[in-house]
Amino acid sequence: MGSDADPDVGASVRSELEERLYRIRHSSAHLMAEAVLQVFPDAKLAIGPPIDDGFYYDFDLPRTLTDEDLADIEERMRRIAVGDHAFARSVISRGEAEERFADQPYKLELIRDLPEDEEISLYTQDTFTDLCRGPHVDTTGDLDPDAIKLTSVAGAYWRGDERRPMLQRIYGTAWQSKADLDAYLERLAEIEKRDHRRLGRELDLFSIQDQVGPGLVFWHPKGARLRSIAEDYWKKQHYANGYELLNTPHIGKEWLWQTSGHLDFFAENMWPPMELDNSRYYLKPMNCPFHIMIYKSALRSYRELPLRWAEEGTVYRYERSGVLHGALRVRGITQDDAHIFCTPDQVEDEISEVLRFALEVWKDYGFSDLRAKVSTRPDKAIGADEDWERATESLKKAVADNGLEVEIDEGEGAFYGPKIDVHVADPLGRLWQMSTIQFDFNLPERFGLTYVDSDGSEKRPYMVHRVLYGAMERFLATLIEHYAGAFPMWLAPVQAVVIPVRSEHLDYARKITTELTAAEYRIEIDASDNRMGAKIRNAQGQKVPFMIIVGDNEQQAEQVSLRERSGEQHNGLSMADCTQLFADRVAAKA
């Protein structure tokens, strides 16, 4: 075993390049630990695994690290690397391991948590020995010292438990060559430009108010407008695709969550109960049981099916503070749930239609690289084999019928049914898991759902869960990063800013603003005393699609001049031409 045991359990088969990078990064983590001990001889070591694009190591240190510390540690790592020290493996007994790491409490805990029959191995390079299962490069000389970079420090609770000590986690990255590192750092810089948290502040879209509640998103006027645009589109598309919309409460009695199984399988992610009228109520972590209760409110016939019901329902989940991340990982989640109740004969067509709908929506939002993964039955699952087989084949066929390659994730379905996950790629090639189509053999059974079939017998309906955006907060964060805040005109919270050149053009600017606002365009006017150049720079900084500039010529001719965000200019346009250009851009969703 090793200091990186937990992250590496069940690692999948890696390609030759992935294996090489894995060894480079794992070995770099050990170099970093050695360098840290040179600076802080009394440091307590936790775990240090390789991760996607890099590595980290958690330390218990006597003081908070500084940027100067990182530079010092990085330089020491380079000196260790050029020493060409072999990574030597050895195997020791449990007693020897406990003696060897007697002054390292986190290592001792890892050792004592190991199964009795597990082999305990060490790796040594230069003066440093770590508890580790490997693998590593052969020697430190196999590492390019110029291709290693320490990137940041963050707090991390020991074993992710906020009741345990807070450690300092040093992140780094390592590559085969300096050219690879430079390319990666350029990509990181582009990712930083697109970071939704930074853009959320700069564009005044949203904030997280920790003093009110971590993981809860406050949408400012422009962000709320963006959200409203997405919600209006969502509703329109759902009605057009044969759905009815629901609204359900935010809390429910304890028996509901006991029946659904959430208190058995999801309790640690639920908020504590409230005592009301001698009953225990819970904030809902999911919308499913409420939709089921609407289904159960009447006797259902096969003639009614399929029922397609959707809701933008806010749910509440107790995400640990260490995993909260801007609007991507939050505690108040507006989930665009839909539930389809159908007969076995309808399920294949319904699944195909749901996937078609999802792909159409993502294309409207400007995502062209779409991928689908089918997750199949895990070892522990409920439901008859024939139901699982039928459901899984329906999912596979839906993916193929919609022109996507069928990628299988064996055994990764939920215990209650197989699923399709739709991933979208952004301009940097990052994949975001968004839409999910999930079969459920569990809840119809738990709640005793039935419908009356054509022969008068009671049958169990199939139930399909579906999220399209996934969560509104995460969806909008993804959208911000996808467009780097420069939204196409149909999505832009402010579509144009009217800029009067001087104060004497202000009345004409107001007239234009009123006319375009009446035509349902989202228009602001910059009536400040700033010079025109400063007004243009401000509008460009806010990533507004159009600037409508009015001066003497435009006012006299009752025209406008348009400047696009890209810098392209359209001079001397009539208001009719201006509104037509706007209409064309909105319709194109470009």
Side-chain angles (χ1 to χ4, degrees), residues 502-533:
R502 293 187 303 277
S503 60
E504 54 263 37
H505 306 125
L506 193 53
D507 286 343
Y508 182 55
R510 287 181 176 135
K511 176 185 174 184
I512 291 169
T513 301
T514 300
E515 186 174 335
L516 290 172
T517 301
E520 299 187 353
Y521 291 105
R522 300 182 290 276
I523 309 298
E524 287 186 352
I525 184 170
D526 187 342
S528 69
D529 293 331
N530 292 331
R531 293 176 179 270
M532 187 179 74

Side-chain angles (χ1 to χ4, degrees), residues 411-435:
E412 292 302 316
F415 74 93
Y416 50 82
K419 64 175 179 172
I420 298 173
D421 287 321
V422 176
H423 294 77
V424 301
D426 70 10
L428 300 182
R430 295 178 297 175
L431 286 177
W432 303 84
Q433 192 270 306
M434 304 303 290
S435 304

Side-chain angles (χ1 to χ4, degrees), residues 219-279:
W219 295 103
H220 298 198
K222 290 179 183 177
R225 179 70 75 123
L226 175 64
R227 176 170 172 154
S228 178
I229 295 163
E231 288 174 338
D232 289 347
Y233 170 87
W234 184 92
K235 291 173 184 176
K236 180 179 178 181
Q237 293 301 320
H238 276 78
Y239 280 130
N241 282 274
Y243 287 77
E244 291 297 331
L245 303 189
L246 309 178
N247 279 295
T248 61
H250 288 239
I251 62 174
K253 285 186 175 181
E254 183 175 44
W255 75 266
L256 186 72
W257 312 110
Q258 289 172 334
T259 304
S260 69
H262 284 94
L263 287 177
D264 292 329
F265 300 107
F266 203 70
E268 67 178 18
N269 294 107
M270 294 173 66
W271 286 77
M274 298 170 280
E275 297 285 345
L276 297 169
D277 300 328
N278 298 316
S279 296

Side-chain angles (χ1 to χ4, degrees), residues 315-442:
V315 301
Y316 302 89
R317 298 180 185 170
Y318 181 58
E319 299 283 3
R320 298 298 184 264
S321 58
V323 302
L324 297 175
H325 183 76
L328 286 172
R329 194 74 176 265
V330 294
R331 288 174 172 167
I333 306 163
T334 305
Q335 199 161 38
D336 70 322
D337 266 334
H339 295 95
I340 299 169
F341 303 91
C342 62
T343 69
D345 292 339
Q346 295 168 335
V347 71
E348 192 168 287
D349 287 343
E350 288 300 308
I351 290 296
S352 186
E353 178 59 22
V354 168
L355 184 57
R356 181 207 61 77
F357 181 21
L359 298 179
E360 180 181 279
V361 166
W362 287 112
K363 288 174 182 176
D364 273 355
Y365 277 107
F367 293 87
S368 57
D369 187 351
L370 304 165
R371 308 175 196 184
K373 182 179 290 187
V374 176
S375 299
T376 63
R377 181 173 185 157
D379 292 336
K380 293 182 179 180
I382 65 168
D385 290 346
E386 58 268 25
D387 287 338
W388 272 88
E389 184 175 347
R390 180 173 193 163
T392 304
E393 288 307 311
S394 296
L395 297 179
K396 290 178 182 177
K397 186 174 186 301
V399 173
D401 287 349
N402 280 278
L404 299 178
E405 182 179 344
V406 180
E407 184 178 349
I408 304 298
D409 202 357
E410 293 289 353
E412 292 302 316
F415 74 93
Y416 50 82
K419 64 175 179 172
I420 298 173
D421 287 321
V422 176
H423 294 77
V424 301
D426 70 10
L428 300 182
R430 295 178 297 175
L431 286 177
W432 303 84
Q433 192 270 306
M434 304 303 290
S435 304
T436 295
I437 304 166
Q438 172 80 64
F439 264 95
D440 191 339
F441 304 123
N442 179 46

